[in-house]
Amino acid sequence: IKDSIYGDCVKFLNKFGIPFTPNVADTTLTLGNGSIFRMRSDKALTDSHSDKSHSLGSTSYNIVIFEEADSISQELAISMAGSMRHPGKFRKVIFYLCNPPSRRHWLWKMFHESNDPYDDPHSRRRALFCAAEDNIQHVGTGYVEAMREDFGMNPNLAKRLGYGLPGADTKGTPYYAA
């Protein structure tokens, strides 16, 4: 958390001149209006032996952001949604950030197989699809070129992993570049 999303949030707040007080040890950022960003791993939220699993408790939340949401369990997502209170006049909002999941994944089913159409502006759930090119300012041109090369010979993978659209399900163990 400290080396990824926490650092990215600090950079974002600094870039836009938003005052905040960091607490690196607890991976929290407190804004001037008292709002608190708490960043926790899925393991910390589900491990009953961890002190941090209770640190979210019944605190009032309006927004939850699940980074790499396709790697968390449906149970964790449901429990976080249930922990959100409705403070003030704000409604709760949950962002599930990930590459398009498999059609067998609970996220796909929640957004695409429910009675709430994901592309209806009045729906409870909305799905947005972004191509790698839409994120070029953050990932760089080399990343996009590598995506084109890696997935250029497989249109289904290019569709899903390069262009952010539903595509083929993949099998096997993923590999990561060092």
Side-chain angles (χ1 to χ4, degrees):
I1 297 293
K2 290 176 188 171
D3 295 334
S4 59
I5 191 94
Y6 185 82
D8 291 342
C9 287
V10 167
K11 287 179 195 173
F12 176 86
L13 294 171
N14 283 329
K15 178 179 179 177
F16 291 100
I18 301 170
F20 67 95
T21 303
N23 183 333
V24 178
D26 196 33
T27 58
T28 61
L29 301 169
T30 304
L31 301 181
N33 68 358
S35 297
I36 300 172
F37 283 91
R38 288 183 175 88
M39 293 163 226
R40 304 292 185 264
S41 70
D42 57 339
K43 182 169 176 21
L45 293 172
T46 57
D47 184 0
S48 62
H49 301 292
S50 167
D51 290 338
K52 289 187 178 181
S53 67
H54 302 291
S55 65
L56 295 176
S58 62
T59 304
S60 297
Y61 293 101
N62 293 99
I63 299 173
V64 171
I65 302 171
F66 289 115
E67 177 73 25
E68 301 296 342
D70 53 335
S71 67
I72 66 169
S73 69
Q74 184 176 14
E75 290 79 16
L76 175 59
I78 291 169
S79 69
M80 284 303 296
S83 294
M84 296 174 78
R85 306 294 183 243
H86 292 275
K89 61 184 177 183
F90 302 103
R91 64 183 222 179
K92 61 182 172 181
V93 177
I94 302 174
F95 293 97
Y96 301 92
L97 308 177
C98 65
N99 287 320
S102 156
R103 293 177 191 267
R104 295 183 303 258
H105 195 278
W106 65 268
L107 273 173
W108 176 269
K109 292 175 181 177
M110 183 172 81
F111 282 92
H112 299 278
E113 294 178 7
S114 73
N115 292 330
D116 249 350
Y118 72 90
D119 56 352
D120 178 357
H122 299 12
S123 175
R124 288 183 59 213
R125 297 184 174 99
R126 295 295 311 264
L128 305 173
F129 301 98
C130 302
E133 287 85 356
D134 297 335
N135 199 20
I136 204 162
Q137 73 184 54
H138 302 286
V139 298
T141 56
Y143 177 85
V144 174
E145 289 167 4
M147 290 285 271
R148 286 190 188 122
E149 183 179 324
D150 290 348
F151 303 122
M153 299 181 72
N154 187 325
N156 283 319
L157 284 178
K159 184 177 177 184
R160 182 167 165 213
L161 301 175
Y163 297 102
L165 299 170
D169 288 344
T170 56
K171 293 182 180 179
T173 304
Y175 67 91
Y176 301 94

